[in-house]
């Protein structure tokens, strides 16, 4: 925890002069997604508040916001913890992803589409794979899907999926088999990108739906075993 708090202190500059619970929430959400605070970690008000230089009330409000996003859980007389997802949570996350992401592709309209963000995420994933950075591949994969959702040009959809993707990272941290989990999807991201470049929304949606179904099976298989082992 000491190393995480030292890194967190570096984030104090992001708060600026007008510290708000929303800005603190943004920082903590990012740190949780990056695995600095793994699922099951108890978050200390004193330590985190001191690292960020914010008041207890501000920190409690940020905890409340992240609890509402299902990233944290408050346990009576024990404190606030990073949430450990259930298998049912993981299944629901993928159900939401399928509904939203496939609908985004289906509703794109006529090509050409603005695909620079998707292409950048593909390059990011390939680069991380060459370096053997499989967690980096996972991050690039999340970036790919975030850029895919961004094609809808909807702030509300972006906000909804930001929370969904942050929850998904909680599952990835428990699975902890990043190469097996993420490597197969580098090529599948490329296939989706190429279908969209060709203006074939139908093919892209079919590829995406199969991709999400296969990913769900893979994640749930390993997640159920890991949660069972830890339980």
């Amino acid at each position: 925890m000491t190393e995480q708090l030292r890194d967190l202190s570096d984030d104090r500059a992001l708060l600026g002069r007008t510290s708000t619970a929303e800005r603190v929430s943004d920082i903590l959400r990012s740190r949780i997604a990056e695995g600095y605070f793994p699922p099951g970690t108890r978050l200390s008000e004193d330590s985190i508040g001191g690292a960020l230089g914010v008041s207890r009330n501000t920190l409690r409000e940020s905890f409340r916001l992240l609890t509402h996003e299902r990233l944290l859980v408050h346990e009576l007389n024990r404190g606030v913890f990073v949430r450990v997802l259930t298998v049912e949570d993981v299944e629901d996350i993928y159900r939401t992803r399928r509904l939203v992401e496939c609908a985004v592709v289906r509703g794109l309209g006529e090509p050409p589409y603005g695909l620079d963000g998707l292409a950048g995420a593909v390059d990011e994933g390939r680069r991380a794979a060459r370096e053997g950075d499989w967690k980096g591949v996972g991050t690039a994969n999340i970036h790919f899907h975030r850029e895919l959702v961004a094609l809808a040009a909807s702030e509300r959809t972006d906000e909804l999926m930001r929370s969904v993707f942050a929850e998904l990272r909680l599952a990835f941290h428990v699975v902890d088999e990043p190469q097996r989990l993420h490597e197969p999807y580098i090529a599948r991201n490329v296939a989706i990108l190429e279908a969209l470049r060709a203006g074939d929304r139908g093919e892209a949606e079919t590829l995406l739906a199969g991709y999400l179904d296969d990913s769900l099976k893979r994640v749930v298989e390993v997640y159920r075993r890991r949660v069972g082992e830890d339980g």
Side-chain angles (χ1 to χ4, degrees), residues 13-75:
L14 299 176
L15 296 174
R17 294 183 177 179
T18 55
S19 298
T20 65
E22 288 80 6
R23 287 196 180 99
V24 173
S25 297
D26 288 342
I27 289 170
L28 293 179
R29 185 187 301 105
S30 295
R31 290 297 186 175
I32 290 168
E34 292 164 2
Y36 281 85
F37 301 116
T41 301
R42 181 180 180 277
L43 301 185
S44 165
E45 288 185 2
D46 291 339
S47 298
I48 293 175
L52 289 175
V54 298
S55 70
R56 187 181 295 268
N57 285 340
T58 295
L59 190 60
R60 285 178 176 174
E61 175 62 13
S62 72
F63 283 174
R64 187 191 68 79
L65 292 171
L66 294 176
T67 299
H68 181 70
E69 293 181 19
R70 296 177 296 277
L71 296 179
L72 302 180
V73 61
H74 180 268
E75 297 185 10

Side-chain angles (χ1 to χ4, degrees), residues 197-223:
R197 278 179 170 158
D200 193 340
R201 286 177 298 157
E203 175 65 8
E205 183 181 353
T206 297
L207 291 170
L208 177 60
Y211 174 129
L212 292 173
D213 288 346
D214 290 345
S215 181
L216 171 60
K217 291 175 185 175
R218 183 180 294 265
V219 172
V220 166
E221 173 195 351
V222 182
Y223 196 87

Side-chain angles (χ1 to χ4, degrees), residues 95-170:
R95 188 179 304 116
T96 302
R97 291 186 67 193
R98 204 179 194 283
L99 285 169
V100 173
E101 293 185 46
C102 289
V104 167
V105 172
R106 194 180 316 125
L108 281 178
E110 295 302 315
Y113 311 119
L115 302 176
D116 288 349
L118 282 180
V122 165
D123 289 342
E124 178 188 353
R126 285 169 162 169
R127 186 165 54 251
R130 286 196 299 269
E131 296 170 356
D133 178 8
W134 299 108
K135 288 189 177 180
V137 173
T139 296
N141 193 36
I142 293 290
H143 290 168
F144 179 88
H145 289 274
R146 191 171 64 197
E147 292 292 343
L148 184 71
V149 170
L151 293 175
S154 165
E155 291 184 6
R156 290 173 178 81
T157 306
D158 289 343
E159 184 176 351
L160 166 67
M161 295 306 291
R162 179 187 65 178
S163 296
V164 170
F165 289 140
E167 279 193 272
L168 181 64
R169 292 299 290 266
L170 293 181

